[in-house]
Amino acid sequence: MAAASDGEAASLAVLSSLVDLLGYRAAEQGGERAYILLADRGGEERAITFAELDRRARALALRLAERAAPGERALLLFPTGIEFLIAFFGCLVAGIIAVPMMLPRRQSARDSSASILADCTPRLGLATAALIAGTRGDITGRFPGLDWLAVDDPLCAAAADPPQPVHRAVTAGDTAFLQYTSGSTSQPKGVVVSHANLMANLAMMRAAFGNTRRSTYVSWTPLYHDMGLIINVLESLYSGALCVLLSPVSFVQRPLAWLRAISDYRAEIAVGPDFAFALCVDRYRPAEMADIDLSCWKLALNASESVRAETIRRFAATFAPHGFAAAAMYPAYGMAEATVLISGGRRGAGPLIRRLSRDGLFRHRVATPAGEADTREVVGCGAAFPGERIAIVDPESGLRLDPDRVGEIWVAGPNVAHGYWQNPEATAETFGGRLAGDDDTRWLRSGDLGFQGEAGELFITGRIKEIVIIRG
């Protein structure tokens, strides 16, 4: 098994883009199912093989190339489903920059869609025929001036025979897509993610997760979000594994449906933010879980927001009777500016939780608690991946800090994105960190606070913008 895995790692290492990756999977595992979409009330709604996804993406790319040139942007507006995947990979094949975006809320003028539209000035709008027809409000009216294309139109599925090339070969340095930040504290910014960034981060994750072609994923996280798109959809493709998709609405309404799908498909990997694990505990009903076996779940990745020790304990205790192993819990840390993941632990090692002085952390010191009232628990989020570096830095002086000090988390590596779309000032501020005495390395300044423990274990303690300085 190790030799086969090493051989595949070598084959993957020579691929330079996601287009190459999809082609590789279509050639190696063409008839196998790559993605399954589950209906909101259970059962399979639709599935697609690696070969069919490759064929549909290349067929769509021909239609896209008739309407836009490489480097132009296409807005992707889809519910969770197979059409999103076809649209995303179709853009990649055509060299068009995909811009995945949340469907705008009904009758809402306060979402970020107008800001994103103005920032990236897309030429194309891709959606399903039903959405373009107005089944969820006037989508085309909300985004005027776009050339709309229904991905499920039969013309988009018709492949040329013989196959025709689309413009030019995609290279590692090409921009694959723009991942927009949430915009919760400022205007959304489009992170420019290249094929090289993606392939580097996917390789890091595969090595850390220890996954194989048999490591089925089950995901409910939105596909316009980096957790849903990269950690689930693209990482499963990188490993050649099946990915089972549920809609976010289905999960919120019935959280235990996520766990049932993990059990039914014998999934090894399922990923979610901390609130998702807490919600499963809150909605736990023994009668609904009587036949659910979670012993197959080897990596329960908890990331995207603060990881809470209490959530980890509650989830492990609640679902231990159903075969869930506490060591499967996998806290991790990441951000869109580093493609997605920055740090993670060793599969099966379990979470590392430390009890520290609350007062010490307020003073940016790592210290032993003076008593129970002075205690705060922090969860380790693993160490830097191979080929990547993490530094704890004084944000004012740029000096590295000692292990007993809390500072800003800086990151350098091939997974760090190029910057923000057409925003040189914000790019220089966030992506242009320089350590004192080192002029060669460009560091990503995360804006997060933390420290590194033994073996480089990273602990997150807060955000710089959450600090209020009083009298120094």
Side-chain angles (χ1 to χ4, degrees), residues 29-226:
Q29 301 169 247
E32 297 177 25
R33 296 192 297 180
Y35 302 97
I36 295 173
L37 175 66
L38 298 185
D40 284 345
R41 286 295 169 182
E44 294 184 8
E45 181 173 316
R46 192 177 169 195
I48 192 167
T49 65
F50 291 105
E52 178 66 6
L53 178 57
D54 183 65
R55 188 193 70 79
R56 289 291 306 274
R58 294 179 188 280
L60 175 62
L62 290 173
R63 310 302 168 209
L64 298 176
E66 295 169 354
R67 301 179 179 224
E72 293 191 285
R73 277 74 59 206
L75 209 61
L76 273 56
L77 287 164
F78 295 87
T80 294
I82 303 300
E83 281 73 23
F84 172 91
L85 305 177
I86 294 168
F88 181 78
F89 282 102
C91 286
L92 299 184
V93 173
I96 291 169
I97 300 173
V99 185
M101 201 180 78
M102 179 177 68
L103 285 169
R105 304 180 187 92
R106 291 178 185 270
Q107 301 177 339
S108 173
R110 295 183 60 82
D111 62 29
S112 60
S113 56
S115 176
I116 293 174
L117 191 73
D119 186 62
C120 69
T121 58
R123 180 179 181 84
L124 301 176
L126 305 184
T128 62
L131 281 171
I132 293 174
T135 58
R136 287 190 55 162
D138 185 13
I139 294 291
T140 57
R142 288 287 298 272
F143 303 98
L146 299 187
D147 183 2
W148 286 93
L149 186 63
V151 171
D152 48 353
D153 186 303
L155 288 175
C156 291
D161 189 18
Q164 300 175 15
V166 182
H167 282 306
R168 59 180 175 81
V170 176
T171 68
D174 287 345
T175 299
F177 74 104
L178 302 182
Q179 177 67 62
Y180 272 86
T181 59
S182 64
S184 56
T185 58
S186 63
Q187 289 288 93
K189 296 185 285 291
V191 180
V192 180
V193 184
S194 71
H195 287 271
N197 295 146
L198 286 161
M199 296 300 285
N201 212 200
L202 293 174
M204 292 173 181
M205 286 188 278
R206 183 176 182 271
F209 296 173
N211 49 4
T212 68
R213 295 184 183 187
R214 294 196 294 271
S215 303
T216 296
Y217 285 64
V218 171
S219 173
W220 60 266
T221 48
L223 300 185
Y224 60 80
H225 190 276
D226 52 5

Side-chain angles (χ1 to χ4, degrees), residues 344-366:
R346 182 169 50 84
R347 174 171 168 156
L352 178 61
I353 300 172
R354 289 187 59 177
R355 293 164 59 85
L356 299 174
S357 166
R358 183 184 298 272
D359 181 67
L361 290 176
F362 282 145
R363 300 174 186 278
H364 309 305
R365 297 281 182 180
V366 180

Side-chain angles (χ1 to χ4, degrees), residues 228-299:
L229 175 57
I230 304 174
I231 301 181
N232 288 289
V233 165
L234 298 185
E235 181 60 26
S236 64
L237 178 69
Y238 193 82
S239 300
L242 172 66
C243 183
V244 180
L245 301 171
L246 299 82
S247 75
V249 172
S250 175
F251 168 76
V252 171
Q253 293 177 344
R254 300 168 53 243
L256 299 184
W258 182 37
L259 306 189
R260 178 167 294 282
I262 293 169
S263 175
D264 288 348
Y265 287 91
R266 310 311 296 154
E268 284 190 12
I269 300 174
V271 179
D274 194 81
F275 88 84
F277 294 94
L279 187 59
C280 287
V281 174
D282 294 341
R283 300 283 185 87
Y284 176 71
R285 301 293 182 271
E288 295 182 44
M289 295 284 294
D291 59 342
I292 290 182
D293 174 17
L294 300 177
S295 61
C296 57
W297 196 358
K298 304 302 182 185
L299 196 145

Side-chain angles (χ1 to χ4, degrees), residues 303-437:
S304 185
E305 61 186 28
S306 297
V307 180
R308 300 176 183 275
E310 182 63 18
T311 300
I312 289 173
R313 281 193 286 265
R314 290 177 66 217
F315 189 91
T318 300
F319 296 103
H322 301 279
F324 181 79
M329 269 293 182
Y330 189 95
Y333 168 68
M335 56 193 302
E337 286 83 349
T339 302
V340 60
L341 277 193
I342 290 172
S343 68
R346 182 169 50 84
R347 174 171 168 156
L352 178 61
I353 300 172
R354 289 187 59 177
R355 293 164 59 85
L356 299 174
S357 166
R358 183 184 298 272
D359 181 67
L361 290 176
F362 282 145
R363 300 174 186 278
H364 309 305
R365 297 281 182 180
V366 180
T368 302
E372 197 62 33
D374 184 40
T375 298
R376 178 183 164 189
E377 290 186 315
V378 291
V379 179
C381 292
F385 295 123
E388 181 190 49
R389 287 181 288 166
I390 295 175
I392 305 301
V393 180
D394 181 325
E396 299 298 325
S397 67
L399 291 169
R400 280 183 183 266
L401 296 174
D402 293 334
D404 65 343
R405 294 285 305 278
V406 171
E408 186 179 13
I409 300 164
W410 288 21
V411 185
N415 54 317
V416 173
H418 293 197
Y420 296 119
W421 179 258
Q422 295 187 341
N423 194 335
E425 290 184 5
T427 294
E429 180 180 354
T430 301
F431 292 87
R434 301 286 184 182
L435 285 175

